[in-house]
Structures are given as structure tokens and as C-alpha cells.
Amino acid sequence: MNAHSGWVRYHEFLGDRAFQKIQVPDELALAQANPARWLSSAGRQNILVGKEHLQAASKLGLFVNSEALPKLAWFEYLLGDTERSVQLLGQAAAHQKGEGKALSLYYRGAILNRLGRYDEAQASLDEALAERDDMILAREEKGESLWQLGHKDEAIAAWTDAVQRNPRLALVNNELAGAKRSLGKLVEASSHERQADQFTPDNPLYHWMIGRRLQDLGMTDLAEKHFQRAAQLDPGGEMPAER
């Protein structure tokens, strides 16, 4: 039994070490359904190695490995297997509690949003918030689900709640600016846009991420502003050719 446990821990350790080496920011990875474009050849190889170790830890364990499954799910997502990632996150959440469960459900909801499965995303995000009411990013993603489902007032309420809890959220303030503009509330829209600009890092990839998220919500004017700023700041051609 001790030898078996040690073997599982060995694979968990190597899988976790690979997980810690991931250099793709979550915000960039979650900007679109397939984040594979952001992986270098070395980064991809690191993830493949980590995936093997975490799969081994999960298969060899006598019980469901709720520590390894969320990391394995993120590996799958980065490698482009979104369906497998969603499945693993749901499986992990079923065996977790508290913050760990809320995080698994949040990432599951965010990925489902990228896949256009907004009803499922909202349900997952609601579960995350039921577990941890203070998870602000889940409120942002829930706002996206609601907006895409046509529940605009509820989406605005979710985003407003998020920025009241943290006024520095650049993406959410941009989303509120786009929402208010679409409703003809231009003064409120300008206020949120100024607040967003105040807290937006002057980083080309960050501007590209915001542009991509706004574009998916149909907020094209604001999206174009950020795509243009990304192009101005891009020093070495890191920006994708397509949006």
C-alpha cells in the first residue's frame, strides 16, 4: 500500500511540476475556444509530459484524484480537447468542496461560454457562486452567458455587481460600456469606458484579449478600439493575424 501510494505521489509531483511551468496566462487562454496558438513547442511538450503523469496518477489511484483532475483538465484544454476538459472539470467538482469546487465549476463555465453552450455555462457558474459567493470572475462569465442568451438586464446586473466588488476589472467595465452603449445610455457607457481604460495594462496581448471577448459579445466598436491599440503596441508581431 505504501509503495502504491508513493508511486501515485511521484506522478502527481511530476505532473504538478509541469503544471507550474505553464506560461500562458489564463485570461489569454480563455479568450477563445482553442488556445493552442499560444503554446511554444517546448510549452506543448511540457504539457504533454505533465498530462501523462497526471493520467497515471488518476488511473493508479484507489479513489478519484480531485487534486490531479483540474490540472489534467487544464492540460486538455490547452491542447485543444475542450470536451474532455469540460468532462474532467465536472468530474473533479463532484468530488470537491469549497474553493476547489468553485474554481473547477468556474473554469468549466468559462470554457462552456467559449464553446457557445451558454445555458450549461450559466448553470455551472451559478453552482460556482453558490459554493463561493465572492468569486468575482464567475460573475463576469455569468454576465457573458446571460448577454448571449438575450437576458441583457440580468447580464448588466451581474457585471455591475462584479465592478461594485472590484472597480479595477478592465474587461467587465468594457463589457458594461458596450452594454450601456447598445441601450443608448451613452453617459454611463463613457463612464465605464474611462474606468476600464484607467485599469487596462498597456500590453498588446491584454488589449487583444479584451478585443476578442468584446467582439464575441457583439460589441464591435469597443473591440476594434482594443485591436487597434494592440497593433500599435505590438513590438514583435505576436498578435494573431485573425481575430
Side-chain angles (χ1 to χ4, degrees):
M1 181 67 72
N2 287 339
H4 178 269
S5 178
W7 188 241
V8 171
R9 295 290 177 267
Y10 167 76
H11 283 294
E12 283 181 341
F13 170 78
L14 293 179
D16 182 67
R17 187 167 69 176
F19 186 82
Q20 298 302 326
K21 290 181 181 179
I22 295 173
Q23 297 183 346
V24 182
D26 287 6
E27 298 94 336
L28 195 58
L30 288 169
Q32 56 191 142
N34 188 350
R37 66 165 53 158
W38 306 114
L39 296 179
S40 64
S41 57
R44 182 178 178 82
Q45 185 58 36
N46 170 64
I47 289 172
L48 288 169
V49 170
K51 175 183 171 180
E52 289 182 6
H53 285 296
L54 291 183
Q55 282 180 327
S58 297
K59 290 177 181 178
L60 292 170
L62 299 177
F63 306 99
V64 172
N65 194 324
S66 61
E67 295 294 324
L69 285 180
K71 297 171 185 175
L72 180 57
W74 193 243
F75 283 153
E76 295 285 16
Y77 177 69
L78 291 174
L79 292 170
D81 194 343
T82 52
E83 290 296 334
R84 179 62 175 157
S85 180
V86 167
Q87 178 187 356
L88 288 170
L89 286 167
Q91 186 179 349
H95 293 86
Q96 292 173 304
K97 295 180 180 179
E99 183 178 9
K101 181 173 185 174
L103 283 169
S104 291
L105 291 166
Y106 158 69
Y107 280 104
R108 184 174 181 273
I111 293 169
L112 286 167
N113 265 345
R114 302 297 90 77
L115 294 173
R117 291 157 60 180
Y118 305 116
D119 282 313
E120 294 176 73
Q122 183 187 340
S124 189
L125 295 163
D126 279 339
E127 288 185 64
L129 288 166
E131 200 69 32
R132 284 292 299 265
D133 182 68
D134 60 344
M135 186 165 284
I136 298 176
L137 290 178
R139 294 184 186 281
E140 185 278 322
E141 285 286 352
K142 179 180 176 180
E144 291 198 22
S145 302
L146 290 165
W147 185 264
Q148 297 285 20
L149 290 168
H151 307 311
K152 294 191 174 183
D153 288 342
E154 294 176 60
I156 290 172
W159 289 330
T160 300
D161 190 356
V163 296
Q164 285 175 345
R165 293 166 183 258
N166 184 355
R168 301 174 65 90
L169 296 172
L171 175 58
V172 186
N173 273 301
N174 270 296
E175 289 170 330
L176 279 169
K180 298 289 187 177
R181 185 182 294 184
S182 73
L183 298 174
K185 299 179 179 180
L186 302 184
V187 174
E188 293 179 42
S190 295
S191 176
H192 283 295
E193 187 175 352
R194 286 194 301 271
Q195 192 165 334
D197 290 344
Q198 182 181 354
F199 298 113
T200 302
D202 231 8
N203 176 288
L205 290 174
Y206 198 89
H207 279 282
W208 185 90
M209 177 275 294
I210 290 178
R212 179 58 194 257
R213 297 285 290 275
L214 293 172
Q215 179 179 268
D216 287 346
L217 292 169
M219 301 173 182
T220 53
D221 290 343
L222 273 177
E224 188 59 32
K225 166 188 167 180
H226 288 281
F227 285 136
Q228 289 180 3
R229 184 58 180 157
Q232 292 170 357
L233 292 169
D234 185 15
E238 290 185 274
M239 295 301 102
E242 74 278 8
R243 298 172 180 178

